[in-house]
Amino acid sequence: MENNPLDKQALLEKARSLVSLLENDDVSDQDLDTSLDEIMSLRDASLFHELGKMTREIHDSIMNFRMDSRISDLAETDIPDAKDRLEYVITMTENAANTVLTVVEKGSPVAERLSEQARHLAEQWARFRNRELSADELREMGQEVEGFFSESESMMTELLSGFTEVLMAQDFQDLTGQIIRRVINLVDEIEGNLVELIKIQGEHYIPEETKAEEQNKEKTKLEGPQVPGKETSDDVMKGQDDVDDLLASLGF
Amino acid sequence: MKILIVDDFSTMRRIIKNLLRDLGFNNTDEADDGNTGLPKLQSGNYDFLVTDWNMPGMTGIDLLRAVRADDKLKDLPVLMVTAEAKKEQIVMAAQEGVNGYIVKPFTAQTLKEKIDKIFERIEG
């Protein structure tokens, strides 16, 4: 109540007039009431003023908080969006895991078959060195060696292409990393806003950035990996073909 | 042919390095952003630069600008491999003088095509 202290001088006057009324035996009840009311109203005026100020402050704080559109954006757009992006992370990691598992499942028997054939040939070769092979068996070994050469070449090609598939499947790490980093930033922002929410209980909440500044930042910021169905704006390329077309239109 | 690969994710650098090796480019080197990449380019004789865009420190577009502004490096072919797919950004990269632009996720075939195209144009 520092801003509107009781008017002491006025109060003193009212008190004196009340005392003089009380000392006067002829005073009417009505005059006494009036005098008391005057004293009371002095106090009430100060109280109402303070109450009004507090109400206005609370109202302003609430309005400011509501007007910060970033907060409603967070709740309406960003959080559901983050959920979708995280879902996409799950999909990408799952696909990568399945790709790798498929390659391993397909490649293992191939490698096993090759090693089995090599082992068998080595045995035959040892017998040949010990002169244990008949002419027929030797011919058979010759055919087996030929078959082994051609088959091992095609099997190795198969394994190598599997390795490339495994290699390419690792690109999820980069893309999911970028998406998760963005979600972490969002969580940071939400945390900051919660702190602000707590702060406005005691003081005015002043938005740190104006809306115009935010929009400006929005335009130039990097979008990161595109999540299917979540393209952040209309002018985002859907894939390499779109990029190629755009570059071609620029004379590339 | 000496190639510098700049990306902040080591897995992506490994992928590109391996793909380049499959394409017959064995002499590659790596950097994790423009700040580490640019000194390498300035001190080594690189024939080709493959760079990501969004990196902490110095971004790929700033690296591209620095390369084009450097007398010794200004003709270095630059291929951008990035997740950034906004039209404005691709146009910006083109204006800054990028030689090729690949959006992630990409395939081995795309990388081969773009590299072939870049060298075709340079030699042609």
Side-chain angles (χ1 to χ4, degrees):
Chain A
M1 297 206 180
E2 303 124 37
N3 294 339
N4 194 34
L6 276 170
D7 187 340
K8 278 189 185 153
Q9 196 55 47
L11 188 61
L12 190 62
E13 271 172 33
K14 300 285 175 201
R16 280 196 182 122
S17 85
L18 178 63
V19 170
S20 69
L21 281 174
L22 286 169
E23 281 167 352
N24 185 349
D25 294 337
D26 303 332
V27 69
S28 69
D29 283 356
Q30 201 186 346
D31 285 349
L32 268 177
D33 274 352
T34 312
S35 178
L36 276 169
D37 282 350
E38 278 171 2
I39 291 172
M40 293 289 279
S41 75
L42 264 180
R43 225 192 81 188
D44 288 352
S46 161
L47 193 69
F48 285 137
H49 177 85
E50 201 56 33
L51 197 60
K53 213 178 88 188
M54 274 171 65
T55 309
R56 208 163 40 246
E57 273 175 10
I58 291 169
H59 176 80
D60 286 353
S61 293
I62 292 169
M63 288 312 284
N64 276 337
F65 199 69
R66 261 200 219 143
M67 279 188 299
D68 182 6
S69 63
R70 185 71 197 110
I71 289 164
S72 55
D73 278 356
L74 279 175
E76 281 167 25
T77 318
D78 290 26
I79 292 174
D81 184 67
K83 282 198 254 175
D84 289 342
R85 282 169 192 273
L86 289 177
E87 288 288 345
Y88 185 56
V89 168
I90 295 173
T91 310
M92 275 204 280
T93 49
E94 193 181 330
N95 287 346
N98 283 327
T99 304
V100 173
L101 289 171
T102 306
V103 170
V104 170
E105 282 165 7
K106 264 169 49 191
S108 298
V110 173
E112 270 168 31
R113 207 157 68 236
L114 270 181
S115 107
E116 172 61 27
Q117 279 180 4
R119 196 182 54 76
H120 184 246
L121 276 176
E123 269 172 26
Q124 295 291 89
W125 182 250
R127 286 183 63 207
F128 169 71
R129 293 286 294 257
N130 292 335
R131 301 175 195 284
E132 288 170 11
L133 286 189
S134 66
D136 279 351
E137 282 177 313
L138 184 60
R139 234 189 335 271
E140 216 176 273
M141 190 182 83
Q143 283 171 353
E144 210 178 310
V145 169
E146 259 177 50
F148 179 72
F149 285 154
S150 72
E151 208 179 336
S152 61
E153 199 191 341
S154 72
M155 283 177 177
M156 283 302 168
T157 310
E158 197 180 327
L159 288 178
L160 283 174
S161 94
F163 289 155
T164 307
E165 261 182 77
V166 169
L167 178 78
M168 290 312 292
Q170 306 312 308
D171 68 350
F172 78 91
Q173 204 274 334
D174 169 21
L175 301 174
T176 56
Q178 291 190 47
I179 290 171
I180 290 171
R181 240 182 229 165
R182 274 155 201 273
V183 175
I184 291 172
N185 289 341
L186 176 67
V187 171
D188 270 352
E189 196 182 339
I190 292 168
E191 189 188 11
N193 274 304
L194 284 174
V195 170
E196 290 297 338
L197 182 62
I198 291 162
K199 274 185 1 199
I200 68 162
Q201 291 186 354
E203 59 187 18
H204 278 265
Y205 173 68
I206 300 150
E208 279 162 24
E209 277 172 324
T210 67
K211 195 112 192 187
E213 271 171 342
E214 263 175 45
Q215 277 172 346
N216 227 359
K217 262 169 72 183
E218 202 70 22
K219 262 189 196 159
T220 51
K221 88 171 182 208
L222 297 172
E223 298 277 336
Q226 293 304 313
V227 178
K230 284 268 137 203
E231 286 80 8
T232 35
S233 61
D234 292 338
D235 54 2
V236 166
M237 302 293 114
K238 299 275 188 295
Q240 188 64 40
D241 288 345
D242 283 4
V243 175
D244 291 348
D245 289 348
L246 174 64
L247 288 173
S249 75
L250 295 167
F252 265 67
Chain B
M1 168 83 65
K2 197 173 169 192
I3 304 178
L4 183 68
I5 304 161
V6 186
D7 197 308
D8 53 332
F9 281 86
S10 63
T11 44
M12 187 44 80
R13 291 201 301 272
R14 269 178 64 190
I15 290 175
I16 294 172
K17 186 183 165 166
N18 278 289
L19 289 172
L20 288 173
R21 202 192 51 214
D22 285 351
L23 296 174
F25 303 109
N26 291 305
N27 192 2
T28 54
D29 196 2
E30 302 173 26
D32 61 4
D33 78 338
N35 288 329
T36 51
L38 189 59
K40 283 195 173 193
L41 289 171
Q42 284 165 337
S43 60
N45 280 319
Y46 290 91
D47 305 293
F48 192 45
L49 168 64
V50 179
T51 182
D52 184 21
W53 184 315
N54 193 1
M55 295 178 285
M58 189 183 197
T59 62
I61 194 77
D62 287 337
L63 178 61
L64 174 63
R65 288 183 183 124
V67 163
R68 292 291 174 253
D70 186 308
D71 265 351
K72 267 171 67 189
L73 298 174
K74 64 179 195 303
D75 295 323
L76 182 75
V78 179
L79 175 64
M80 199 157 251
V81 180
T82 172
E84 304 306 328
K86 255 176 102 178
K87 189 179 169 187
E88 286 99 325
Q89 273 143 9
I90 298 162
V91 172
M92 189 197 285
Q95 283 166 348
E96 298 294 344
V98 82
N99 299 80
Y101 197 105
I102 295 177
V103 285
K104 296 176 190 172
F106 64 101
T107 63
Q109 186 58 32
T110 304
L111 184 67
K112 184 181 183 331
E113 277 171 24
K114 299 306 154 200
I115 291 177
D116 286 349
K117 207 171 163 195
I118 289 171
F119 286 109
E120 250 171 52
R121 198 174 296 119
I122 287 170
E123 283 153 17

